[in-house]
Amino acid sequence: MATDTDFHVFDTTLRDGAQREGVSYSVADKLAVARLLDEIGVGFIEGGWPGALPKDTEFFARARTELKLRHAQLVAFGSTRRAGVRVEDDPQVRALLDAETPVVCLVAKSDVRHVREALRTTLEENLAMVHDTVAFLVRHGRRVFLDCEHFFDGYAADRDYGVEVLRTAFAAGAEVGVMCDTNGGMLPMGVGRVVADVRTRVEGRLGIHCQDDTGCAVANTLAAVEAGVTHVQGTANGYGERAGNADTFALVANLVTKMGLPVVPPGCLTELQRVSHAIAELANIAPDEHQPYVGASAFAHKAGLHASAIKVSPELYNHLEPEVVGNDMRILVTEMAGRASVELKGRELGVDLDGHGEVIGRVVDRVKVLEADGWSFEAADASFELLLRAELPDAPPPLFELESYRTTVEHSGDGQVMSEATVKVHVDGQRVISTGEGNGPVNALDNALRQALVSRHPQLADVSLADYKVRILGWKGGTSATTRVLIDTTDGVGEWTTVGVHSNIVEASWHALVDALTYAVRHR
Amino acid sequence: MATDTDFHVFDTTLRDGAQREGVSYSVADKLAVARLLDEIGVGFIEGGWPGALPKDTEFFARARTELKLRHAQLVAFGSTRRAGVRVEDDPQVRALLDAETPVVCLVAKSDVRHVREALRTTLEENLAMVHDTVAFLVRHGRRVFLDCEHFFDGYAADRDYGVEVLRTAFAAGAEVGVMCDTNGGMLPMGVGRVVADVRTRVEGRLGIHCQDDTGCAVANTLAAVEAGVTHVQGTANGYGERAGNADTFALVANLVTKMGLPVVPPGCLTELQRVSHAIAELANIAPDEHQPYVGASAFAHKAGLHASAIKVSPELYNHLEPEVVGNDMRILVTEMAGRASVELKGRELGVDLDGHGEVIGRVVDRVKVLEADGWSFEAADASFELLLRAELPDAPPPLFELESYRTTVEHSGDGQVMSEATVKVHVDGQRVISTGEGNGPVNALDNALRQALVSRHPQLADVSLADYKVRILGWKGGTSATTRVLIDTTDGVGEWTTVGVHSNIVEASWHALVDALTYAVRHR
């Protein structure tokens, strides 16, 4: 069976995955994503389409000097030569050579209808385009993989033509023939049957590329592996057009931990969670908390029932030890969870609650009341820790007492937009008035408040807002909408999340802000 | 093979699905969700755990009078009797009768380790608990289904005990024995093999319940169907603990359109998209735009390459006609898309651009510039339509000219929080100064601006903000964070989305607000 040396994990986050709605990488982003993918040990990283997209041409140029990969080989993506053109005269094919990557992945039509209606050429010319382009690139020392677009739909219409395309590619020197479910309509059983049939009819390494339109991209890929393919294509977090692609992280985790295939080098698997979140950040997409293996909730337990049983034997309630993929088991504090959850959560936060039964009871009650008002501590560990510690004996007093604040945003006649905030607080019994400006009302409040506190708490100078999320609650048919604000704060070393809830977005932000600074002073 | 009369689609959004992080339904929400699920024609709706959760007890009480279901039967969930207790003396079992549902779904342990370590009883007593509870409920006229918790992990540890549990349940009168992959660690091939083996060893209808921890919940469920189960359990949008459950909508769509099983009544399939989004709203979870079949992007095409080919023959680029599941094909306007996309998008918006080649060119350029600054029109059709129409010959002038605005939020000494805004605008050459209050700075601006315009545009009186989303862009390592605001506005009939981008959240909101009101006046 496959081993890490002869099994291909091929990631196309930077090419096919970049077609996801809302994603737009800078060249620097693309270089950073490639480095991260290399850290999880994928064998191939498809970087883009040189010649077609200027950004991708620049990426390959910079990659030559700036990108040092430990595990992966860089791949340039392109198309077979145009119909009726000599391959050496096709500038798009030339651009593939100029990218100077060890590997080139070519896309070719393998569905007779696409050849005739989209490409508008003959079946024979399409085969010639495949042969000429593969042979040309092989002559120039490239490893060549061929993506057979719409392979499965094509197989349904004509079970021979796609096979012809594969044979032609292999005969011309292609190393891999990839069967692509481009429209994503397949199910695992069907993929397995087609792959098994094709395997008996061609000589050469077969690969699989699945889209998630039936919600089966990962399963379809694994079914193809079970049927004998040894090259799988995926994208980070499944980013891709429409419903997306097969998620590279779920593929790798399943292949290694469920199917026993060591498809990545030792030590790489524990990087999955970190790399997944880092790429989400670069793509500027909020991480999917419910994503298999790497999501913040992937190993989280909510029901009070479970939480209490988990204290007995955790292994009975996880399909895998979270640490294997660099994740951990979080215990959620919610109305459904009871005392056991709070106790476990305290342990997780390093707060020993043994012998503090009454504290646990008060925390559970307090959380229930707050959650009924729209608060949520599931994503705001820092706010929860402050709430928990405030119930402990000899809890410290608040950092300050608020007298009042005022914040203004002004769009003046000359088109300038300015924000300003003034806070009046009492710190250690002393009244402090401080005014700050900012690029928004919350930023201005943040600056004003930190200025009021920084002389007593100099560490606040290094603290800054990392992310800011706003959620309107209960607005459906709602006259009295509530706003929930989550603030991620960083001190350059770590990051923590706090929450605030109020009908006024600024007041909600204020609550989250005060928790953020209090946490920075007390617990960093 | 199965037909709609003898195949069970069992939805547990309101029971197992309610364990998803962040979800908390009111009783009214639960009634609304049940009505929506009935509209897609599921056969069974599991409403909750009466007796264990007060909210669920109330749900079943109100359901008796307030819930009229056309297709579905209501199901109460509960556990087998406690060890060492007579079934008629177990209050939790009593509560199941009091729920007065035609169907009861019981959970039982089927993994020897869980029986011993979590339940702390003997294998024999666990079987007796199953037998007694099933028989008791059947005696009281209930249809009884049995969820075998941790069935697949149990099978791996001891392939006979779970089968014993199933046999015991069927012998006592259970109608369905459900094999649950509670920890979600299975893959489709394994599920198929276990189900095939179990089928040869028990008489009775088998069901499947999958969690998505390997990203295969939908595929695992379909593999079980292919292996002969005729009862599938899922949740709306796959909501559930950890990585979630099998998505009921993907299950139904796949079973009907890919496997040819008419598992829901005629006419129900076209409700999937609407019901999916409505339930997301009730759960107060942003819909997953990339969700198979029902996501806003599920049939969206981004790449310019595709967009132009789609004009030739759409059917070659969709695995299904979007209308079948009540969705539609959206064309995205992005830097990757070219003139063809803008032209198709215009057609979609009812703007005929034939003979306006130069307009298309200007729009493409304008979009590229704006998207480089962080604007995104993919989710903001109304803003895009305004941008497009503004480029047309004899485009109307703006609704007003802004002179200046000012908005304030004050937290006064008495703890009161107040927001106020003043706008100075010129409407039809006339200077208007108007001041409004609100529960936040944007709401106050909205009120002030609408007050300034409503005398000339009375229809604005019926327009209100429906949702408000904020995204901080480029904050990663970013000194100059940009804020993107999306505003959903409604006039009670329809809803439209507008976008604004600026480093100041209030100014960004102002842009989206102005578009929202302009769209209301011009195009509603």
Side-chain angles (χ1 to χ4, degrees):
Chain A
M1 196 58 198
T3 78
D4 51 346
T5 55
D6 72 10
F7 194 101
H8 291 187
V9 177
F10 181 107
D11 184 278
T12 179
T13 303
L14 295 174
R15 200 275 304 170
D16 204 28
Q19 297 199 9
R20 171 177 164 129
E21 222 173 313
V23 168
S24 170
Y25 299 107
S26 69
V27 173
D29 289 335
K30 297 192 85 163
L31 291 163
V33 168
R35 287 186 194 98
L36 286 161
L37 289 168
D38 188 49
E39 291 173 26
I40 63 163
V42 303
F44 302 91
I45 297 171
E46 192 168 57
W49 191 342
L53 298 170
K55 201 188 282 175
D56 290 0
T57 309
E58 186 190 342
F59 164 77
F60 287 107
R62 286 181 55 182
R64 286 198 287 277
T65 54
E66 298 178 38
L67 199 57
K68 304 270 167 285
L69 300 176
R70 275 184 60 216
H71 305 293
Q73 296 211 297
L74 199 58
V75 183
F77 172 88
S79 163
T80 52
R81 69 162 171 84
R82 274 191 278 100
V85 176
R86 290 173 57 245
V87 63
E88 40 278 286
D89 300 339
D90 189 323
Q92 186 264 149
V93 177
R94 285 269 163 207
L96 288 172
L97 287 182
D98 299 342
E100 293 181 27
T101 55
V103 185
V104 170
C105 188
L106 290 174
V107 62
K109 301 285 185 197
S110 59
D111 178 329
V112 293
R113 295 162 307 173
H114 281 268
V115 174
R116 295 188 179 116
E117 296 175 41
L119 215 52
R120 292 229 173 77
T121 186
T122 65
L123 301 180
E124 298 65 30
E125 172 64 2
N126 183 54
L127 293 176
M129 289 154 61
V130 170
H131 177 278
D132 298 351
T133 320
V134 171
F136 175 80
L137 292 166
V138 169
R139 263 203 315 280
H140 286 78
R142 302 297 191 271
R143 300 173 66 180
V144 179
F145 303 167
L146 189 82
D147 280 353
C148 296
E149 223 190 12
H150 300 286
F151 184 89
F152 291 91
D153 298 345
Y155 182 93
D158 171 345
R159 62 188 294 278
D160 296 326
Y161 189 71
V163 170
E164 269 310 302
V165 172
L166 286 169
R167 288 191 185 125
T168 305
F170 287 129
E175 183 179 335
V176 186
V178 183
M179 297 170 278
C180 301
D181 182 21
T182 308
N183 289 350
M186 296 297 290
L187 301 182
M189 299 74 82
V191 169
R193 282 188 284 267
V194 173
V195 171
D197 174 55
V198 171
R199 270 195 82 207
T200 63
R201 299 166 59 195
V202 296
E203 287 298 323
R205 182 194 290 267
L206 293 176
I208 184 78
H209 173 114
C210 296
Q211 301 289 136
D212 201 35
D213 299 77
T214 63
C216 296
V218 168
N220 287 346
T221 306
L222 300 179
V225 171
E226 177 135 305
V229 312
T230 54
H231 169 111
V232 297
Q233 298 192 352
T235 64
N237 305 320
Y239 296 153
E241 198 173 24
R242 305 190 314 273
N245 293 49
D247 170 18
T248 296
F249 307 124
L251 286 180
V252 168
N254 283 322
L255 287 164
V256 174
T257 70
K258 305 298 179 189
M259 293 175 75
L261 300 173
V263 298
V264 295
C268 288
L269 209 57
T270 52
E271 304 304 311
L272 287 186
Q273 199 265 4
R274 180 181 59 79
V275 166
S276 166
H277 286 231
I279 291 177
E281 193 171 301
L282 288 161
N284 211 347
I285 295 169
D288 174 4
E289 301 187 339
H290 301 275
Q291 194 171 328
Y293 291 103
V294 298
S297 303
F299 296 90
H301 292 277
K302 176 170 180 171
L305 165 100
H306 275 175
S308 49
I310 284 159
K311 286 171 66 180
V312 184
S313 36
E315 72 285 357
L316 289 184
Y317 294 89
N318 289 322
H319 70 99
L320 182 77
E321 284 177 18
E323 299 72 22
V324 172
V325 289
N327 209 334
D328 58 14
M329 186 175 92
R330 286 168 52 242
I331 301 299
L332 311 176
V333 180
T334 85
E335 48 172 312
M336 273 192 164
R339 305 172 58 89
S341 303
V342 170
E343 206 173 331
L344 275 172
K345 188 70 187 176
R347 205 177 296 169
E348 189 183 312
L349 296 170
V351 185
D352 181 10
L353 292 170
D354 296 351
H356 288 301
E358 76 299 336
V359 171
I360 296 173
R362 283 201 304 274
V363 171
V364 169
D365 297 343
R366 183 119 178 73
V367 167
K368 280 183 177 162
V369 171
L370 287 169
E371 290 198 335
D373 294 342
W375 293 70
S376 167
F377 295 96
E378 291 173 359
D381 275 358
S383 285
F384 177 73
E385 182 172 347
L386 291 172
L387 178 151
L388 183 62
R389 293 184 184 276
E391 297 293 342
L392 290 171
D394 50 62
L399 286 190
F400 65 90
E401 300 292 339
L402 173 69
E403 179 183 314
S404 69
Y405 70 71
R406 184 161 107 276
T407 176
T408 314
V409 179
E410 240 175 311
H411 182 130
S412 49
D414 59 9
Q416 291 300 312
V417 181
M418 290 173 29
S419 290
E420 187 187 287
T422 299
V423 300
K424 302 180 182 177
V425 295
H426 299 257
V427 192
D428 306 347
Q430 210 185 337
R431 186 162 185 261
V432 183
I433 301 183
S434 142
T435 295
E437 294 185 324
N439 58 16
V442 177
N443 183 228
L445 272 175
D446 180 21
N447 291 331
L449 179 59
R450 268 188 303 129
Q451 185 179 305
L453 302 175
V454 75
S455 60
R456 270 166 203 67
H457 307 291
Q459 63 266 56
L460 290 179
D462 310 326
V463 167
S464 64
L465 177 147
D467 198 4
Y468 177 75
K469 300 194 190 73
V470 178
R471 186 77 197 280
I472 311 294
L473 305 173
W475 52 265
K476 43 188 191 290
T479 46
S480 66
T482 303
T483 303
R484 182 197 295 152
V485 167
L486 289 174
I487 289 182
D488 295 349
T489 311
T490 178
D491 55 8
V493 186
E495 216 171 277
W496 57 96
T497 306
T498 53
V499 60
V501 171
H502 195 273
S503 59
N504 191 308
I505 186 174
V506 172
E507 177 71 9
S509 306
W510 172 261
H511 285 294
L513 200 55
V514 172
D515 270 7
L517 299 188
T518 305
Y519 188 85
V521 168
R522 294 273 162 74
H523 307 297
R524 296 298 304 172
Chain B
M1 200 54 198
T3 77
D4 52 345
T5 55
D6 72 11
F7 194 100
H8 292 185
V9 177
F10 181 108
D11 184 278
T12 179
T13 303
L14 295 173
R15 201 274 305 171
D16 205 29
Q19 298 198 8
R20 171 178 164 126
E21 221 175 315
V23 168
S24 170
Y25 299 108
S26 69
V27 174
D29 289 336
K30 297 192 85 163
L31 291 163
V33 168
R35 286 184 195 100
L36 286 161
L37 289 168
D38 188 49
E39 291 174 26
I40 62 164
V42 303
F44 302 91
I45 297 171
E46 192 168 55
W49 191 341
L53 297 169
K55 201 188 281 176
D56 291 0
T57 309
E58 185 189 342
F59 164 78
F60 286 108
R62 286 181 55 181
R64 286 200 286 279
T65 54
E66 299 177 36
L67 199 58
K68 304 270 167 285
L69 300 175
R70 275 183 62 216
H71 304 293
Q73 296 211 294
L74 199 58
V75 182
F77 173 88
S79 163
T80 52
R81 67 160 173 85
R82 274 189 279 106
V85 177
R86 290 173 56 245
V87 63
E88 41 277 288
D89 301 339
D90 188 325
Q92 186 264 149
V93 177
R94 284 269 161 211
L96 288 172
L97 287 182
D98 299 341
E100 294 181 25
T101 55
V103 185
V104 170
C105 188
L106 289 174
V107 62
K109 301 284 185 196
S110 59
D111 177 328
V112 293
R113 295 161 307 173
H114 281 268
V115 174
R116 295 188 179 117
E117 296 176 42
L119 215 53
R120 292 227 173 76
T121 185
T122 66
L123 301 180
E124 298 66 30
E125 172 64 2
N126 182 55
L127 292 177
M129 289 154 60
V130 169
H131 178 278
D132 297 353
T133 319
V134 172
F136 174 82
L137 292 166
V138 169
R139 261 203 317 281
H140 286 78
R142 302 298 190 272
R143 300 173 67 180
V144 180
F145 303 167
L146 189 82
D147 280 353
C148 296
E149 220 188 16
H150 300 285
F151 184 88
F152 292 90
D153 299 344
Y155 182 92
D158 171 349
R159 62 188 292 278
D160 297 327
Y161 187 72
V163 170
E164 268 311 300
V165 172
L166 286 169
R167 289 192 183 126
T168 304
F170 288 130
E175 184 179 334
V176 186
V178 183
M179 297 171 278
C180 301
D181 181 22
T182 308
N183 290 351
M186 297 297 291
L187 300 181
M189 299 72 85
V191 169
R193 281 187 284 266
V194 174
V195 171
D197 173 57
V198 171
R199 269 195 83 207
T200 63
R201 298 165 61 194
V202 296
E203 286 298 322
R205 181 193 289 268
L206 294 175
I208 184 78
H209 173 114
C210 296
Q211 302 288 136
D212 201 35
D213 299 76
T214 63
C216 296
V218 168
N220 287 347
T221 305
L222 300 179
V225 171
E226 177 136 307
V229 314
T230 55
H231 170 112
V232 298
Q233 298 193 350
T235 65
N237 305 320
Y239 297 153
E241 197 173 25
R242 305 190 314 273
N245 294 49
D247 169 19
T248 296
F249 306 124
L251 286 180
V252 168
N254 282 323
L255 288 165
V256 174
T257 69
K258 306 297 179 190
M259 293 175 74
L261 300 173
V263 299
V264 295
C268 287
L269 210 56
T270 53
E271 304 304 309
L272 286 186
Q273 199 265 3
R274 180 180 58 81
V275 167
S276 165
H277 286 235
I279 291 177
E281 192 170 301
L282 288 161
N284 212 346
I285 295 169
D288 174 4
E289 300 187 340
H290 301 276
Q291 194 171 330
Y293 291 102
V294 298
S297 303
F299 297 90
H301 292 278
K302 175 171 179 171
L305 166 103
H306 274 173
S308 48
I310 285 159
K311 285 169 66 179
V312 184
S313 36
E315 74 284 0
L316 290 184
Y317 294 88
N318 289 322
H319 69 100
L320 182 77
E321 285 176 17
E323 299 71 22
V324 171
V325 290
N327 210 333
D328 57 13
M329 185 174 90
R330 284 168 54 241
I331 302 299
L332 311 176
V333 181
T334 85
E335 47 172 310
M336 272 193 161
R339 304 170 59 87
S341 303
V342 170
E343 204 172 333
L344 275 173
K345 189 72 188 175
R347 203 177 295 168
E348 188 182 313
L349 296 171
V351 184
D352 182 9
L353 293 170
D354 295 351
H356 286 302
E358 75 299 335
V359 172
I360 296 172
R362 283 203 303 275
V363 171
V364 170
D365 297 342
R366 185 122 176 68
V367 167
K368 280 183 178 162
V369 171
L370 287 170
E371 290 198 335
D373 295 342
W375 293 70
S376 168
F377 295 95
E378 292 174 359
D381 276 358
S383 285
F384 177 73
E385 183 171 347
L386 292 172
L387 179 151
L388 182 62
R389 292 186 184 276
E391 297 293 342
L392 290 172
D394 52 61
L399 287 191
F400 65 91
E401 300 292 340
L402 174 67
E403 179 182 315
S404 69
Y405 69 70
R406 186 163 104 272
T407 177
T408 315
V409 178
E410 237 175 315
H411 182 129
S412 48
D414 59 8
Q416 291 300 312
V417 180
M418 289 172 29
S419 290
E420 187 187 287
T422 299
V423 300
K424 301 179 181 178
V425 294
H426 299 257
V427 191
D428 305 347
Q430 211 185 340
R431 187 161 185 262
V432 183
I433 301 182
S434 145
T435 295
E437 293 186 325
N439 57 16
V442 177
N443 184 228
L445 272 174
D446 180 21
N447 291 331
L449 180 58
R450 268 188 302 128
Q451 187 180 303
L453 303 175
V454 73
S455 59
R456 274 171 200 65
H457 307 290
Q459 65 267 54
L460 290 178
D462 310 324
V463 169
S464 63
L465 177 146
D467 198 5
Y468 177 77
K469 300 194 191 72
V470 177
R471 186 79 197 278
I472 311 295
L473 305 173
W475 52 266
K476 43 187 189 290
T479 46
S480 65
T482 303
T483 303
R484 182 196 296 150
V485 167
L486 289 174
I487 289 182
D488 295 350
T489 311
T490 178
D491 55 8
V493 186
E495 217 170 274
W496 57 96
T497 305
T498 54
V499 61
V501 171
H502 195 272
S503 59
N504 190 308
I505 187 175
V506 172
E507 177 71 8
S509 305
W510 171 261
H511 286 295
L513 200 55
V514 172
D515 270 8
L517 299 187
T518 304
Y519 188 85
V521 168
R522 296 272 162 75
H523 307 296
R524 296 298 302 172

